[in-house]
Amino acid sequence: MVEHLQAYLVWRETESKAREAADNFAAAIKAGRHPSEAEMGELSRLRTAASAALYDMIERAKGLPESAA
């Protein structure tokens, strides 16, 4: 259970960073500035990290006992 919570917290952090980068990317475009290669690469890296963290969280959840409905 603790491992799943830790995985969730990692996912939340990486997802927040990826959303912030995406917001900055969109703001640059709206301001008429073309984002740099570095900004595009960072956004891609953060999105990939968030996806990997989500996958890890899902895999860890498979080992949790099912709750009684």
Side-chain angles (χ1 to χ4, degrees), residues 15-27:
E15 184 64 23
S16 292
K17 288 178 182 178
R19 285 183 186 186
E20 182 180 347
D23 289 345
N24 292 339
F25 193 87

Side-chain angles (χ1 to χ4, degrees), residues 5-69:
L5 179 58
Q6 289 172 336
Y8 169 75
L9 294 174
V10 168
W11 170 75
R12 284 266 319 246
E13 182 178 342
T14 57
E15 184 64 23
S16 292
K17 288 178 182 178
R19 285 183 186 186
E20 182 180 347
D23 289 345
N24 292 339
F25 193 87
I29 292 172
K30 286 180 182 176
R33 184 178 68 78
H34 184 51
S36 69
E37 288 284 327
E39 289 171 309
M40 289 187 276
E42 180 67 2
L43 177 58
S44 177
R45 185 190 70 74
L46 289 169
R47 293 301 313 150
T48 300
S51 293
L54 178 61
Y55 178 79
D56 182 54
M57 184 177 65
I58 291 168
E59 287 301 308
R60 289 175 187 262
K62 290 178 181 177
L64 294 175
E66 293 185 29
S67 61

